[in-house]
Amino acid sequence: MREFFDEREARDPELREAELMQALPRLVAHAQQKSAAMAQVLAGVDASLVTSRQALARLPVTRKHELFDRQRASLASDPFGGFSTLLRGPDMRHVFASPGPIYEPEGATRDYWRSARAMFAAGFRRGDLVHNAFSYHMTPGAFIFEAGAHAIGCTVFPAGVGQTEQQLQAITELRPNAYTGTPSFLRILLEKAQEAGADVSSLRKALTGGEALPPSLRDWFASRGVDVYQSYATADLGLIAYETSSREGLVLDEDLILEIVRPGTGDPVADGEVGEIVVTTLNPAYPLVRFGTGDLSALLPGPCPSGRTNTRIKGWMGRADQTTKIRGMFVHPAQVADIARRFPEVLKARLVVSGEMANDHMTLRVEASARPHGLDARIGEAIRDVTKLRGDVELLEPGALPNDGKVIEDARSYK
């Protein structure tokens, strides 16, 4: 008998998609009416027509630097930069500050950050005592997972980070059976416990985040009796995707619309191709439409063997912002995309920067569906027009470039 936190995890995929597309125009209209920032971003958009992924893909992508810029510009009147629809008081439980600083609101709804499904999939159950080692200082990390634990019916020990000796004492005396925090700190705790002869054998399960969890480290935890799962969340969006017992990618959480786009653009890539994660969240308190996370991933085919039916992604695969300084000039992924759009023959492009310090060499490697005479020369002219730099052009067969999400590859030697 399969167990889920709620029945929505196992919905028919077509039903889920239909419900998401029904909710999408309402969300866009709500964002336009209640969020001053999104009203500007979505100016001129007819919300009633945004009823498909194709229509959604035509809307602009908002990225984290825009949150920062708008917040800096409106601090005197609105520290949230016009993105939050909440008013201070009973509807806003906390205000957090992520590095920048970027300020994030927390609404008062149950499991506001939607982490309960991830914790349930990792084996957390009612009555568990959770040792929560995410930071309780300014950032929302600890509260994201505490809210999910409470939604399940767990009790939480707010351990935070640091003070390893005191944390070990609490574990040996309180005997928690679950852990939330980064995988690196869990390893520190287990190693320190071994050195000190402390009994932390009560810890049997963990949900980690904030860092990658390589298979070798997962195996290291398993050899010490701890079954560790990973999750993917951001301070802006909350929990995005989570691992299940199948260990085959991460399952997208409910009430999110996920797209994978070519870095530097808002253009969706083909299924299976690596690109930037862009998320639209059906959160009326913070209605982010097409929010670019800056993280790379790719879609996985088919449903999760655990029985959860939502979209799966491979997990975190690096950062999408590959802006690189070349001969004193910054070159952005969006500029590479601009060059590629000028030529219908170009299927995919990758700018490779090579050479040694102070002797940069730039080559645009291009997958082309056809190679009419002079194509490379015309692309070279576009490179100079867009970047103000000279670069070589290498024409390749379709499928020749790696599927790793890189638009700009820095292959220079810095010795």
Side-chain angles (χ1 to χ4, degrees), residues 87 113 145 166 267:
L87 298 175
W113 307 94
F145 290 87
Q166 291 93 323
D267 304 331

Short mmCIF file of all heavy atoms in Angstrom, two decimals, residues 87 113 145 166 267:
data_model
loop_
_atom_site.label_atom_id
_atom_site.label_comp_id
_atom_site.label_asym_id
_atom_site.label_seq_id
_atom_site.Cartn_x
_atom_site.Cartn_y
_atom_site.Cartn_z
N LEU A 87 -0.19 42.13 4.18
CA LEU A 87 -0.05 43.27 5.06
C LEU A 87 0.50 42.78 6.40
O LEU A 87 0.20 41.67 6.84
CB LEU A 87 -1.41 43.95 5.28
CG LEU A 87 -2.09 44.54 4.04
CD1 LEU A 87 -3.47 45.06 4.41
CD2 LEU A 87 -1.24 45.64 3.43
N TRP A 113 5.38 27.05 3.19
CA TRP A 113 6.48 26.79 2.26
C TRP A 113 6.34 25.44 1.54
O TRP A 113 7.20 25.07 0.75
CB TRP A 113 7.81 26.81 3.01
CG TRP A 113 8.03 28.05 3.81
CD1 TRP A 113 7.74 28.24 5.14
CD2 TRP A 113 8.58 29.29 3.35
NE1 TRP A 113 8.08 29.51 5.53
CE2 TRP A 113 8.60 30.18 4.45
CE3 TRP A 113 9.06 29.72 2.11
CZ2 TRP A 113 9.08 31.48 4.36
CZ3 TRP A 113 9.54 31.02 2.01
CH2 TRP A 113 9.55 31.88 3.12
N PHE A 145 11.32 24.12 6.97
CA PHE A 145 11.20 22.72 7.35
C PHE A 145 10.44 22.55 8.67
O PHE A 145 9.77 21.53 8.87
CB PHE A 145 12.60 22.08 7.42
CG PHE A 145 13.21 21.94 6.06
CD1 PHE A 145 13.93 22.97 5.48
CD2 PHE A 145 13.02 20.78 5.32
CE1 PHE A 145 14.46 22.86 4.21
CE2 PHE A 145 13.54 20.65 4.04
CZ PHE A 145 14.25 21.70 3.48
N GLN A 166 27.12 21.19 22.02
CA GLN A 166 25.79 21.30 22.64
C GLN A 166 24.74 20.54 21.84
O GLN A 166 23.81 19.95 22.41
CB GLN A 166 25.38 22.77 22.76
CG GLN A 166 26.20 23.57 23.77
CD GLN A 166 27.38 24.27 23.14
OE1 GLN A 166 28.03 23.72 22.23
NE2 GLN A 166 27.67 25.47 23.61
N ASP A 267 13.03 31.08 -23.12
CA ASP A 267 12.59 30.11 -24.12
C ASP A 267 12.69 28.68 -23.60
O ASP A 267 13.80 28.21 -23.30
CB ASP A 267 13.45 30.24 -25.39
CG ASP A 267 13.42 31.65 -25.97
OD1 ASP A 267 12.41 32.34 -25.77
OD2 ASP A 267 14.42 32.05 -26.60
#
